[in-house]
Amino acid sequence: MNFARVWILLLVGSTAFLGKEACGQWPTLTPFESEEPVPGTSLLKGEDDFSYESVLANDRFLDRQIELAKQARNRRWVGGEFDLDTRRSEFVEILGLHRDQRVENPAFEFYTRGDFESNPESKVRLRRVRWPVLEGVSGEGWLLEPEIEDPVSHPLVIAIPDADQHPEELLGWGEQGSNFDSYPLRMAESGCRVLIPALVSREEMEFRMTRREWLHRPAFVLGRTLSSYEVHMILAGADALIHSVAEAGEMPPLGVLGWGEGGRLALFAAAIDRRFEVAGVSGYFGPRENLWREPAEHNLFEFVRAFGDAELGALSEARSLVIETGRFPDAGFRLDGEGEIEVLEERPAKNGKPGRFAAFPLHEVKEEFSRLQALVSEPDSVRLFESNRAFSDPALEAFLQPLGKNLASADVPKSPPAEREWEAAAEERENRIAAAIERHTQGALVDAAHDRFAYFSNLKTGNLEQFRETIEPYRDRFREEVIGHFDTPLISPNPRSRPYQVSEKTQSYEVVLDVFDGVFAYGILTVPRNLDFSSSGKLPVVVCQHGLEGTPQDLVGEKKFKAYQAFATRLAEEGYVTFAPQNGYKYFDRFRLQQFKAQSIGRTLFSIAVPQHEQITRWLASLPFVDEERIAFYGLSYGGKSAMRIPPLVERYCLSICSGDFNEWVWKNAATDPRSLRYSYTNKGEYEIFEWNLGGTFNYAEMASLICPRPFMVERGHFDGVAPDETVAYEFAKVRNLYQARLGLEGQCEIEWVPGPHAIRGEGTFQFLDRHLRSTKAR
């Protein structure tokens, strides 16, 4: 069931649990008939929808940052500020390849199903093979062996199909076989020993996403990628090929090539493993600055900042790199009538990310190729071919030349089995491969708690002073490696405001603050009625944060009252100043694709939200009626997600309240077992939610440690569909242990359990705010 639907059902069906006070009438608000802005601000003008415009501004900012990242990357590489081994290790980490140890000295296991391998007309023997890759994960495919006794005379080649091609189609057995001229068979007839591994297909699943995205989602949270699993399979296949001829003594040359997804993986494998003397990339090579438009499984955190396809080609150091362009896979998910990716501002019918396999015009490929030539010491070692099919004769001849072989005739015997009986076996094989990858990620999910324990091994909790000192390096890592930080100084806020609404006890203003050039913060400031703005009295502030698809207006009055209880206005009625900012997670695909833009350069949506909140709190602290030492954060749902990520990095927040979100977050993002799918995001439409390697770094308990020793509270409804009580309690117990058991911080860390839904209750949390913001200062 879609998470949003669970949320709505629980909310509508559970209002009785909120209690009479919480379910009372919303505050009566009317337009504020005044033309006076907040003192110290200029009058805000215009009829713009500032919530919408702020999301568009974020989008334009990210486009500029991608361009700047590209320029900085080019300067680093062209300027020679790199060591190839260091860069290679960096790419290995970006893929997540380093997290798992491949099986040593893998050997092929030969197995058969029927007599598909027999082909008396050919000099090539076809053998079904399986080889161990990781614990519990094997590669599968076909091994093509020339009938010549001396194994040293046979170069070793891995030919990788596209994700939507079965290996059998490269043997000429499928409908596409003739279009690809069975180039692995031709290389085998030319005297090469050829391995064709099977990949996971782009088939759409019952969860309304592709199978590849389904596997990539949990892997990404656990510091891996689907690409890392498939590259492991390719490199283990190379190990098995080498092992199969090891007794012959002399090592034959090794090459790798592929088309489409196979071309992508061939480029990756050659960049990582220097044993490949030649590599062939067809239907993939080009500029990657629009990586965010590609399928979800192509998302690699920080890739565009550090690499492009030209840089990966330079890493290969192969004696020969053959690139072919002209034909690309016609593959995509959620495409519009023009074949472009959908960008909807309302909930789409499918859960997967819109994405299209990139196809580049020739001039863009040539520009990237020119960059590659400038990066390699021998420009003649890289060659570019143009063709309307995958691996034309000139490209194959160029690939085979360094291997010492001539290209065999295209008229190779194919002898496909009758009635396409191989298809059932191919489907079973893909199911095995996908199931093994899924099992491995779930094992990694179990291990993730131990990984985080080791990651935090340098944190000392013997006393508060020791804790404060040793937590700071983790805050820096959280800022730089998890959230991502733009090294851009805040500009003058240039505050603008205008009267918005008034009630018997409150008055409110719309406020806009500049943050970066072209980026602004927008929100609603609510204060007690008839507040003397010049008064020396200092009031505490609560920044009230909306959830997914929300706006500041949702928090102040009738709109979405059942969820938010107008808590920004209610707190102002109690004598607080409140500010309800617009965070960027609104308008469905528009903001979700921004996450992929940001992640491509090692940033996230919160890389913009954090400086927005820094500017907000800086401005609030400057107001004469505000106590700068008492500015708190309180958010529901995605606002609760914000409560775990923004206060750790915004020093002015003196406490944080997480409502309707706190739970075992890594489990919620990575669990795929049927019992967990009710709660897990792995099968839901929030395709942007997955954050790189949280499994090995920061779950919610670790994020809370970055808030500590500031007060921290969780507001938890028993009937909230975000997570079951037990996972909330499990994660919170670790936070309570830090605050109370290890640091002796009594009363600083609380959880309120209420018989309610996914909503603000505003009882225990209001008391928590009163205790920490009214009686004494939070610091």
Side-chain angles (χ1 to χ4, degrees), residues 388-705:
N388 59 3
R389 70 174 194 235
F391 289 116
S392 60
D393 283 9
L396 286 177
E397 289 168 354
F399 180 86
L400 289 172
Q401 184 178 5
L403 301 179
K405 296 295 179 181
N406 296 316
L407 181 62
S409 167
D411 298 324
V412 294
K414 299 171 184 175
S415 186
E419 300 180 359
R420 295 173 65 90
E421 57 208 85
W422 57 268
E423 289 182 310
E427 183 176 347
E428 291 174 7
R429 177 184 62 212
E430 182 183 341
N431 289 339
R432 285 194 300 271
I433 293 171
I437 293 173
E438 183 180 342
R439 283 194 303 271
H440 193 274
T441 63
Q442 297 311 287
L445 174 57
V446 173
D447 293 339
H450 303 287
D451 295 340
R452 293 191 300 275
F453 182 81
Y455 183 78
F456 269 80
S457 61
N458 291 325
L459 181 64
K460 309 300 181 186
T461 58
N463 56 60
L464 189 55
E465 180 181 356
Q466 195 179 61
F467 171 80
R468 287 182 185 273
E469 179 181 347
T470 56
I471 195 64
E472 287 309 309
Y474 291 101
R475 192 184 319 281
D476 292 340
R477 292 184 192 176
F478 186 67
R479 177 185 294 107
E480 298 293 338
E481 300 172 12
V482 177
I483 298 299
H485 172 68
F486 288 113
D487 189 19
T488 304
L490 298 176
I491 63 177
S492 172
N494 184 25
R496 289 91 75 199
S497 69
R498 65 187 175 198
Y500 180 56
Q501 290 178 330
V502 67
S503 72
E504 182 181 352
K505 296 182 180 180
T506 66
Q507 59 195 51
S508 62
Y509 301 80
E510 289 184 286
V511 177
V512 170
L513 308 170
D514 292 337
V515 179
F516 300 139
D517 183 21
V519 175
F520 64 91
Y522 164 69
I524 296 176
L525 176 74
T526 304
V527 300
R529 184 72 182 271
N530 298 322
L531 175 70
D532 182 358
F533 287 109
S534 63
S535 171
S536 59
K538 300 287 189 178
L539 298 180
V541 181
V542 181
V543 173
C544 303
Q545 190 62 65
H546 64 78
L548 183 64
E549 294 297 323
T551 66
Q553 286 74 11
D554 299 340
L555 280 61
V556 298
E558 176 181 355
K559 189 179 180 183
K560 296 188 180 179
F561 180 77
K562 287 182 178 179
Y564 295 105
Q565 296 292 299
F567 78 113
T569 300
R570 288 171 57 206
L571 283 165
E573 290 175 342
E574 298 294 324
Y576 288 96
V577 172
T578 68
F579 189 82
Q582 178 68 55
N583 269 8
Y585 36 79
K586 184 170 173 57
Y587 304 110
F588 290 88
D589 289 328
R590 191 163 298 284
F591 92 81
R592 291 196 161 100
L593 291 172
Q594 289 177 20
Q595 176 80 321
F596 287 81
K597 287 185 178 184
Q599 288 182 337
S600 75
I601 54 174
R603 309 292 187 265
T604 65
L605 290 172
F606 286 100
S607 302
I608 299 176
V610 167
Q612 286 173 326
H613 280 258
E614 288 177 333
Q615 192 76 304
I616 288 166
T617 55
R618 179 186 294 184
W619 176 72
L620 288 169
S622 73
L623 297 175
F625 54 90
V626 164
D627 186 341
E628 64 176 330
E629 295 290 324
R630 293 185 290 166
I631 303 176
F633 189 101
Y634 184 178
L636 170 69
S637 193
Y638 224 115
K641 178 178 163 72
S642 302
M644 303 307 301
R645 290 160 178 78
I646 294 175
L649 301 178
V650 178
E651 185 179 0
R652 288 190 187 275
Y653 282 128
C654 67
L655 67 75
S656 183
I657 299 175
C658 176
S659 178
D661 186 72
F662 187 91
N663 68 101
E664 215 279 44
W665 186 256
V666 172
W667 164 81
K668 182 173 176 63
N669 281 261
T672 63
D673 64 282
R675 289 176 297 180
S676 299
L677 288 181
R678 173 185 173 187
Y679 304 103
S680 176
Y681 277 125
T682 52
N683 64 339
K684 306 298 191 302
E686 287 79 358
Y687 59 81
E688 89 297 341
I689 207 80
F690 307 97
E691 297 162 280
W692 173 245
N693 193 30
L694 284 190
T697 55
F698 293 88
N699 205 340
Y700 271 12
E702 288 77 21
M703 292 184 199
S705 71

Side-chain angles (χ1 to χ4, degrees), residues 123 145-154 188-192 405:
K123 296 180 180 179
E145 297 180 304
E147 291 184 352
I148 303 175
E149 294 300 324
D150 181 13
V152 176
S153 67
H154 303 315
E189 291 278 354
S190 301
C192 298
K405 296 295 179 181

Side-chain angles (χ1 to χ4, degrees), residues 69 71-82 87 305-306:
Q71 294 171 9
R73 178 197 69 205
N74 292 349
R75 287 194 299 271
R76 286 195 302 272
W77 281 80
V78 173
E81 299 175 22
F82 63 92
R87 293 299 188 206
R305 184 202 65 79

